[in-house]
Amino acid sequence: MSRCYLAWAKDERIREKGADGGFVTATLVSALETGFIDIALVVAKKSVYEGIPVLTSNPEVVKECAGSLHGAPINLTKYVVEYAAEKRIGLPTKPCDARGIIEQAKRRQVNLDNIFMIGLNCGGTLHPLRMREMAADFYGLDPDSVVKEEIKEGKIFLVSKEAGGKEKETAIKIDELEQKGYGRRDACKSCVTKIPTSSDLACGNWGVPKGEEKKTFVEVLTAKGEAILKNAIDSGYVCIEEAPGEGIEMRRKIEAGMQKLAESWKERIDEVNALSRSGRFDFYVDALKNCIHCGACKEVCPVCACEKEAKCLDMNDERDSYAISMYNVLRIFHLMDSCIHCGQCEDVCPVDIPLTLIQRRFSERMQRHLGYTPGMSVDEKPPLYETELRWNAESMMK
Amino acid sequence: MKVISSICPGCSIGCGLYLAESKDGEANKMRVLHRKNAAVNEGKLCKFGTQLHTYYEREALNDTVDGSEVEQKEAIKEAKGRLKGMKPDELAFVALPGTVTNEEIVSLVALASEFGCENISFGLERFFRGIPEEARYIIEKGLPFSEVEKASRIILLFVDPFVHYPLLARRVLKAKKKGAKVVEVSFAKNERGIADETVLVEPVGLERIKEKKDLFEDSLIIGELTPYTDLQFFELMLWLNASTSSRLFLLKPFLNSTGAFLPGGNSKRRKDLFEIIDGIERGEIKALYLLETDLAGAMLGDERVTKTVSKLDLLIEQNAFRTPLSSTADITISSEPFFMKRGTIVNIEGRVLEVGGQSEKGLQITESMGKGRTYEEVHEEVKRKLGLAEISEFELAVKRKERSFEMAEPKVEIEERKGGEGYFLWYKTNPFFWNNGIQSKNFVEISPAAMRKLGLFRGDEVVIVQGERKGRMGFKISELPDYLILSESKMSIKPFEGLIAKVEMRRRDCETTQEKINC
Amino acid sequence: MAEEEWEPKILAFCCNWCSYAGADAAGMERRQVPPTIRVIRVMCSGRIDPAFVLMGLLEGADAVLVTGCHIGDCHYVNANNKTRNRYEFLKEFVDELGLEPDRLWLRWISASEGALFADMVREVTEKIKKIGPSPLRRDWKK
């Protein structure tokens, strides 16, 4: 079904403000104006370091929110569940947003038929405060003077407003920054889902030929994606042309390159790999004993759908003196088949438990064992809830 | 979905967060979201912060005069009139600065001076008494957390960062990762093992800390200052600081403790909270104005407060929420909840933070009784007093300079702790402790020896007895000295100074027939 | 405690319709079963929430045994298939956590297989004695 196009917003203002031709903004605006969707969920930019999710049916608000925002590592899944589960909603989705929403759909928290996911290719996000430090330490800028940021061609571009009102662009290679412990979040560095293949459209600048900037490479992934694209074209908001063959190839190459890099980051970040069995045990106990049971990791988890009536909360008694609390054990256990490695839990952990690493270590081996990748297709149920083994039962019996 | 940026009023750290409408769209229901761009906490919150919505979902206070509901204007007019009728010495103002902005503090101080009254308390005044002038900065100002992270040697002086100030814990952990040595001086070993070295002290043996003075050399001492901190112990902390090359960082339970001392002006002549309560008891103080202060809640099972307050001729309460004293107050004036306020606070690091709201209701209550200034005027005064041109959360606006001072070696012998059998109950304070809205835990921690002695089994409860007072709690076993009980929740047990109490403990027996059957 | 005195504590979940009766049969047949085992009877191995097993380990059990009816013989159609599925998760979890894989067992034992039950307990006990007490076990000092 998948077809690839180059697309851009007809409205020059949207095209200018949005990243790479403003296709995503134009599509959402058109869908709102034509009544194709009831509501859109976008991230309003307060500064390059701060974005606040906004739920709106006003196309003007959506236009305001155009442009990329790498310094606001938000996962939109829980916002969809909380505020728009009943509505026909359109939203831009990073791969981890899309995967989270698919997982929630599996758990019947949202109706996927009503959700139009305009996927964004994603090289990763940055923690806003790390980005501030980075701007000061590496770019030599006053963090507050940075007005725009962009990630392209393996570099992070920061645009700052100079004294005379002039804008200055500084670029540093991501690799160089990350060698020194800055750059993207750990979860993003080691994420291999760079193109949101589980959303309805996948958009980005990978595969846009040189000289054709201000265009978006769009891949149509589902019938819903086709419908919202058709709506945008028919209502005159978006122009498309067939994507050139070398563009498709280029995009594939970029993705493969980033995936390879991510795999190597996984190795580099994983301090547990080198440990012995008992060393591993000590590592987990030492890391998790710091937990103060604030419950934030569960609250923000895009996969968890248990709300207040959760096993990990019910079976956790703070009077127990276990080496690892039931809360942590059960959360890790329940996410073994479903963790999408988005890193939201680590972002909010008040005692800095390396949850991205821990969840990844437990879930990746299980997911490999099961041959299952969560958040990809709503038809694949979470294996933990299945009666039959996911893998070939006959081969197990032998 | 409306999202506003706000600050957690749980403790003096002042974590940034978002408050969003909850999905039902019901008024008074909200959701806490993480603000990852917050300079103080990177969006990370402790249990109190993540449950902050329950704090704001409490019953709101009405405007009343002598128990009957009136318009706010009426209540303010009545309050002003009645306050005018009092002699200046008979008046007292108390504001534990948990949810009070700098602007409101400046306004309150101005209001009190309008009445010619010096009796204002922000909760910690008595610690200023009898200490060298050069040491005052230690009470007034904290240190930025980056200093904690940079420290090479950290002493945790009766502070369990995971419990007392959870957002401090990650800073200590970071320092430790960088190679810092962490030493704890406490009644019990930290259950998470954050310290490399532990010096155990008995509640009656605080003198012993003096022998360990060398430990404090070249270190960052992290302690806590609450209205209940023992004075002798406080002097000991100062002495340890003065006689070694160390820095003393005192955390405080109320969000704007730092702000209360800075723009609020000279705190030297002010009365202390306990002095005011004594004054009421003696009949010298006849009128009390409570600004956003749950006095009964902050006073830890001290029924003296409720008894004392009934002696007053006039009790005026200005608050957003009802408190246990609201029903006895002569006049209640409703202000807005903290997150709606327009104003600034100073956190323990010295960052001046904007609360994030737009309402000036609370400020206008005190201003309309006093000078009648606008928000902008008061705000300008605050900025002038803090020496600020602009407000940014990324700026450490209030800096402190380390000064050396002389302290005589204090004697630390706390008579009332001595003698008798039984257990010591140590209240481990935390944000839940001072903010009466919500409780966190329904158990105490006891030693394995105590558990065996009392014949306790899993799921049993203990009764903690202090004379007439009794508290019923579940239990958890921890590696504690045999005589120690730890509680993170308030009980009806009254501590003496230093948040320690002498108690008896026994197994809770089955009281009803049904329970006996279950046993 | 001295090394030789140490006796493992093994937690066994037994299905009412098969392995519990199997344990019974072992007794009836006067087979020697090491006293290391503590049996919890459940109506079906499918009732055993992985959380029970994990809690058993956290409580300090040196090994946890999950036993049920042979595949195809379940009293409730196919609930022991779920058990098998969950066991795969538990196995991976226990291994990754850094516990020895021998601390977790899944065995299908029918009501008539008393000998099998006794053998299993013996085997588990021997293995656990070799690998020693569970690191999750907490001994409070006296």
Side-chain angles (χ1 to χ4, degrees):
Chain A
M1 179 192 302
S2 89
R3 263 171 295 155
C4 301
Y5 303 99
L6 293 181
W8 61 93
K10 254 191 190 163
D11 187 323
E12 276 306 318
R13 279 208 313 272
I14 299 179
R15 193 172 182 187
E16 199 49 46
K17 185 153 194 278
D20 312 310
F23 168 76
V24 175
T25 309
T27 308
L28 281 173
V29 168
S30 75
L32 273 179
E33 292 214 327
T34 56
F36 187 84
I37 53 172
D38 302 331
I39 209 159
L41 179 59
V42 285
V43 179
K45 186 170 167 180
K46 270 185 90 178
S47 72
V48 289
Y49 311 108
E50 188 168 9
I52 300 180
V54 181
L55 204 57
T56 181
S57 47
N58 180 357
E60 292 308 314
V61 176
V62 177
K63 282 182 202 165
E64 276 304 301
C65 296
S68 62
L69 189 52
H70 291 96
I74 307 170
N75 193 299
L76 294 173
T77 309
K78 283 277 165 98
Y79 295 85
V80 176
V81 176
E82 177 87 1
Y83 298 101
E86 312 290 317
K87 298 193 180 100
R88 223 171 133 87
I89 183 176
L91 73 161
T93 51
K94 301 187 293 301
C96 52
D97 298 322
R99 293 178 72 184
I101 290 167
I102 298 269
E103 284 299 302
Q104 293 289 337
K106 287 179 189 176
R107 290 161 175 79
R108 315 236 167 116
Q109 300 298 305
V110 292
N111 181 357
L112 215 49
D113 296 340
N114 289 338
I115 303 175
F116 293 84
M117 295 187 277
I118 303 177
L120 311 172
N121 297 348
C122 178
T125 52
L126 293 93
H127 193 286
L129 294 186
R130 295 296 88 70
M131 193 163 144
R132 286 187 80 98
E133 289 163 12
M134 193 176 86
D137 298 354
F138 285 88
Y139 290 73
L141 302 169
D142 168 13
D144 287 314
S145 73
V146 179
V147 288
K148 238 172 105 180
E149 46 69 41
E150 214 171 339
I151 301 183
K152 58 183 182 202
E153 294 146 12
K155 286 181 194 152
I156 298 178
F157 290 77
L158 294 186
V159 179
S160 58
K161 225 178 189 106
E162 296 297 294
K166 262 201 342 218
E167 291 194 350
K168 192 181 93 182
E169 194 177 71
T170 324
I172 297 181
K173 275 210 167 109
I174 297 183
D175 235 20
E176 199 180 311
L177 293 165
E178 288 179 353
Q179 299 288 3
K180 287 170 183 141
Y182 288 82
R184 297 167 297 164
R185 295 154 72 236
D186 275 3
C188 298
K189 279 185 212 163
S190 48
C191 171
V192 289
T193 319
K194 300 295 180 188
I195 294 179
T197 48
S198 52
S199 40
D200 299 312
L201 296 171
C203 316
N205 59 7
W206 306 345
V208 179
K210 267 229 154 20
E212 301 254 11
E213 279 89 3
K214 292 290 162 198
K215 282 183 185 173
T216 310
F217 188 106
V218 183
E219 184 182 1
V220 180
L221 293 152
T222 66
K224 268 192 297 159
E226 204 173 312
I228 197 168
L229 178 62
K230 189 165 179 299
N231 177 70
I233 299 165
D234 291 351
S235 56
Y237 276 88
V238 159
C239 299
I240 61 165
E241 61 188 36
E242 204 70 36
E246 74 264 32
I248 298 173
E249 184 55 23
M250 195 162 93
R251 178 172 178 260
R252 204 191 50 73
K253 267 191 188 151
I254 295 175
E255 187 194 12
M258 295 196 82
Q259 282 173 335
K260 206 174 142 202
L261 187 66
E263 290 291 350
S264 81
W265 265 118
K266 261 188 217 174
E267 304 268 306
R268 269 190 275 177
I269 295 170
D270 194 342
E271 52 187 300
V272 185
N273 220 356
L275 301 175
S276 66
R277 184 181 290 278
S278 66
R280 209 157 65 212
F281 178 83
D282 292 341
F283 176 85
Y284 291 134
V285 171
D286 274 351
L288 293 169
K289 73 166 191 284
N290 287 339
C291 177
I292 59 168
H293 297 100
C294 66
C297 50
K298 176 181 175 299
E299 194 85 349
V300 298
C301 179
V303 172
C304 174
C306 309
E307 298 186 9
K308 295 273 179 295
E309 288 77 33
K311 211 172 263 177
C312 59
L313 299 177
D314 278 356
M315 295 193 74
N316 185 56
D317 188 339
E318 283 193 69
R319 288 175 292 181
D320 292 329
S321 311
Y322 298 152
I324 307 175
S325 71
M326 267 314 257
Y327 172 78
N328 287 307
V329 163
L330 284 183
R331 253 192 68 74
I332 294 170
F333 185 82
H334 282 168
L335 283 174
M336 277 173 84
D337 59 348
S338 299
C339 178
I340 57 168
H341 319 306
C342 65
Q344 292 293 322
C345 45
E346 187 170 332
D347 277 357
V348 300
C349 179
V351 288
D352 292 346
I353 299 172
L355 284 165
T356 311
L357 173 63
I358 295 176
Q359 296 285 12
R360 179 183 286 285
R361 280 203 55 99
F362 277 89
S363 58
E364 230 171 37
R365 63 182 284 170
M366 192 67 214
Q367 290 169 9
R368 205 179 309 123
H369 186 44
L370 293 164
Y372 169 82
T373 315
M376 287 308 172
S377 161
V378 75
D379 303 322
E380 293 181 309
K381 295 283 169 279
L384 183 56
Y385 306 127
E386 297 274 25
T387 311
E388 280 306 320
L389 294 171
R390 207 191 135 78
W391 54 87
N392 189 342
E394 280 71 44
S395 75
M396 281 284 299
M397 300 294 281
K398 277 173 206 162
Chain B
M1 180 180 70
K2 221 175 94 187
V3 180
I4 59 163
S5 177
S6 189
I7 299 170
C8 173
C11 70
S12 53
I13 292 175
C15 297
L17 49 85
Y18 294 124
L19 291 168
E21 281 173 340
S22 114
K23 63 178 158 193
D24 339 84
E26 271 179 67
N28 226 14
K29 289 263 176 210
M30 53 176 69
R31 221 179 126 85
V32 176
L33 303 170
H34 301 266
R35 180 168 172 256
K36 294 179 187 176
N37 190 35
V40 178
N41 61 319
E42 301 188 8
K44 296 157 188 272
L45 297 169
C46 72
K47 201 169 185 171
F48 185 85
T50 53
Q51 294 181 9
L52 193 62
H53 52 98
T54 56
Y55 173 81
Y56 283 129
E57 283 159 10
R58 289 176 296 159
E59 194 189 341
L61 186 68
N62 296 335
D63 296 293
T64 60
V65 172
D66 297 325
S68 50
E69 230 170 287
V70 293
E71 289 273 304
Q72 173 144 55
K73 265 190 194 150
E74 189 66 24
I76 295 174
K77 209 179 119 203
E78 193 64 32
K80 188 178 178 181
R82 292 196 197 179
L83 284 171
K84 275 245 163 83
M86 294 280 172
K87 282 187 208 137
D89 287 350
E90 294 173 350
L91 280 176
F93 296 81
V94 172
L96 297 180
T99 54
V100 188
T101 63
N102 292 331
E103 285 73 15
E104 287 172 328
I105 285 167
V106 166
S107 176
L108 184 76
V109 172
L111 175 67
S113 63
E114 289 276 296
F115 291 111
C117 165
E118 289 277 349
N119 304 333
I120 316 174
S121 173
F122 297 115
L124 300 171
E125 280 75 6
R126 74 194 162 110
F127 299 104
F128 288 105
R129 310 263 193 276
I131 64 162
E133 190 66 22
E134 302 81 48
R136 291 171 61 94
Y137 78 95
I138 291 174
I139 311 178
E140 287 169 352
K141 296 172 191 175
L143 278 168
F145 285 149
S146 55
E147 292 296 314
V148 177
E149 286 181 23
K150 271 188 265 171
S152 60
R153 187 179 174 81
I154 294 173
I155 311 261
L156 298 170
L157 202 50
F158 295 94
V159 165
D160 177 352
F162 291 96
V163 177
H164 290 96
Y165 297 94
L167 265 295
L168 174 69
R170 57 186 288 262
R171 311 293 184 154
V172 179
L173 287 170
K174 271 194 180 170
K176 218 177 144 179
K177 222 174 187 177
K178 284 187 198 163
K181 196 168 176 218
V182 181
V183 182
E184 63 176 343
V185 178
S186 184
F187 297 132
K189 199 171 164 354
N190 186 301
E191 66 171 330
R192 292 180 176 86
I194 193 173
D196 303 300
E197 190 185 331
T198 306
V199 178
L200 279 188
V201 185
E202 286 184 34
V204 288
L206 291 180
E207 279 278 328
R208 232 195 102 215
I209 301 174
K210 286 199 230 165
E211 299 160 19
K212 300 271 177 186
K213 203 182 95 180
D214 292 346
L215 279 177
F216 292 77
E217 213 61 67
D218 290 322
S219 65
L220 176 68
I221 309 171
I222 299 180
E224 192 194 24
L225 194 62
T226 75
Y228 270 88
T229 300
D230 180 71
L231 254 179
Q232 289 182 10
F233 176 66
F234 172 69
E235 278 166 15
L236 177 71
M237 288 200 278
L238 283 188
W239 176 77
L240 286 167
N241 178 223
S243 54
T244 60
S245 60
S246 57
R247 286 176 296 168
L248 181 56
F249 180 18
L250 294 178
L251 285 123
K252 291 158 210 149
F254 309 114
L255 171 61
N256 202 11
S257 294
T258 315
F261 295 126
L262 297 174
N266 190 346
S267 44
K268 215 177 184 180
R269 287 179 314 218
R270 297 220 191 105
K271 277 255 173 18
D272 181 68
L273 182 58
F274 290 96
E275 289 167 352
I276 288 176
I277 291 171
D278 288 343
I280 299 170
E281 212 152 53
R282 287 197 300 270
E284 289 163 9
I285 290 171
K286 294 192 172 123
L288 181 63
Y289 193 103
L290 291 174
L291 178 67
E292 313 244 341
T293 298
D294 176 4
L295 199 57
M299 283 290 116
L300 308 174
D302 192 348
E303 56 266 30
R304 191 171 70 125
V305 174
T306 19
K307 257 189 243 156
T308 317
V309 163
S310 63
K311 287 191 181 171
L312 286 165
D313 293 345
L314 175 62
L315 175 62
I316 304 174
E317 191 177 36
Q318 174 187 336
N319 210 326
F321 304 104
R322 281 189 73 85
T323 70
L325 292 183
S326 301
S327 49
T328 54
D330 299 292
I331 299 173
T332 60
I333 307 171
S334 69
S335 58
E336 71 280 49
F338 182 61
F339 70 90
M340 286 163 83
K341 279 183 183 171
R342 185 173 178 202
T344 55
I345 62 108
V346 188
N347 88 335
I348 194 76
E349 290 184 282
R351 292 176 203 269
V352 180
L353 307 170
E354 256 162 316
V355 176
Q358 291 305 320
S359 167
E360 301 163 8
K361 198 176 164 193
L363 177 75
Q364 289 310 334
I365 294 167
T366 42
E367 276 304 315
S368 60
M369 279 191 271
K371 289 187 171 159
R373 292 170 293 181
T374 63
Y375 171 81
E376 278 73 20
E377 286 167 346
V378 185
H379 183 59
E380 279 310 310
E381 191 184 330
V382 169
K383 283 212 286 199
R384 204 172 52 244
K385 283 186 165 160
L386 292 173
L388 280 180
E390 233 170 287
I391 287 166
S392 160
E393 62 174 319
F394 292 97
E395 204 105 328
L396 290 159
V398 178
K399 292 191 184 79
R400 85 174 200 187
K401 240 175 79 187
E402 302 294 325
R403 299 165 77 174
S404 56
F405 54 92
E406 295 282 318
M407 271 296 276
E409 190 176 320
K411 234 174 109 71
V412 195
E413 274 197 44
I414 303 163
E415 280 304 321
E416 55 184 338
R417 290 185 186 175
K418 284 187 175 161
E421 289 289 298
Y423 297 87
F424 278 107
L425 173 76
W426 182 30
Y427 281 123
K428 270 179 136 178
T429 61
N430 51 72
F432 288 99
F433 206 82
W434 303 102
N435 299 290
N436 215 21
I438 31 182
Q439 274 293 354
S440 66
K441 285 172 180 170
N442 56 354
F443 60 87
V444 292
E445 289 174 50
I446 62 171
S447 65
M451 181 200 74
R452 291 193 188 100
K453 194 174 151 201
L454 300 181
L456 294 172
F457 287 95
R458 195 193 177 125
D460 278 352
E461 287 185 332
V462 292
V463 180
I464 294 170
V465 190
Q466 179 192 45
E468 293 286 289
R469 298 183 175 89
K470 266 183 203 170
R472 178 183 147 185
M473 282 284 186
F475 76 92
K476 173 189 173 165
I477 327 169
S478 294
E479 300 276 9
L480 302 179
D482 296 354
Y483 56 81
L484 198 65
I485 307 169
L486 300 185
S487 176
E488 291 177 28
S489 311
K490 277 191 282 194
M491 285 187 273
S492 57
I493 307 294
K494 185 193 160 200
F496 30 82
E497 291 206 332
L499 290 157
I500 275 261
K502 196 75 177 269
V503 293
E504 301 291 319
M505 178 167 63
R506 56 178 165 79
R507 177 167 174 247
R508 184 175 158 266
D509 293 320
C510 312
E511 276 157 12
T512 63
T513 334
Q514 188 56 47
E515 277 178 349
K516 271 179 192 148
I517 295 167
N518 290 343
C519 284
Chain C
M1 252 186 275
E3 198 56 51
E4 58 270 21
E5 279 175 37
W6 177 71
E7 277 288 335
K9 282 184 183 159
I10 296 164
L11 179 66
F13 290 98
C14 294
C15 164
N16 178 56
W17 305 104
C18 53
S19 48
Y20 191 77
D24 234 11
M28 300 274 278
E29 294 161 17
R30 311 249 161 150
R31 287 179 199 280
Q32 203 67 46
V33 179
T36 52
I37 193 161
R38 275 84 173 151
V39 175
I40 294 179
R41 178 170 68 163
V42 286
M43 286 309 284
C44 172
S45 61
R47 176 65 185 89
I48 303 164
D49 191 310
F52 299 169
V53 176
L54 296 171
M55 198 180 231
L57 289 169
L58 289 174
E59 283 282 347
D62 295 307
V64 179
L65 275 70
V66 176
T67 60
C69 309
H70 291 275
I71 294 292
D73 292 350
C74 181
H75 197 79
Y76 306 99
V77 188
N78 61 358
N80 54 1
N81 288 23
K82 293 182 183 167
T83 314
R84 187 175 59 179
N85 190 6
R86 289 167 190 162
Y87 172 73
E88 286 300 322
F89 279 80
L90 282 168
K91 206 171 68 180
E92 294 286 322
F93 182 89
V94 164
D95 191 34
E96 179 56 40
L97 188 64
L99 294 176
E100 293 78 3
D102 278 342
R103 299 206 186 273
L104 183 71
W105 294 70
L106 174 71
R107 280 294 166 90
W108 308 131
I109 295 169
S110 75
S112 58
E113 293 171 324
L116 200 63
F117 188 90
D119 288 349
M120 171 189 71
V121 178
R122 242 191 321 274
E123 187 189 347
V124 176
T125 307
E126 265 165 37
K127 283 231 162 108
I128 295 300
K129 273 194 171 160
K130 236 177 257 160
I131 56 179
S134 165
L136 283 169
R137 188 164 173 164
R138 286 189 74 170
D139 285 314
W140 301 98
K141 65 171 192 288
K142 297 268 173 191

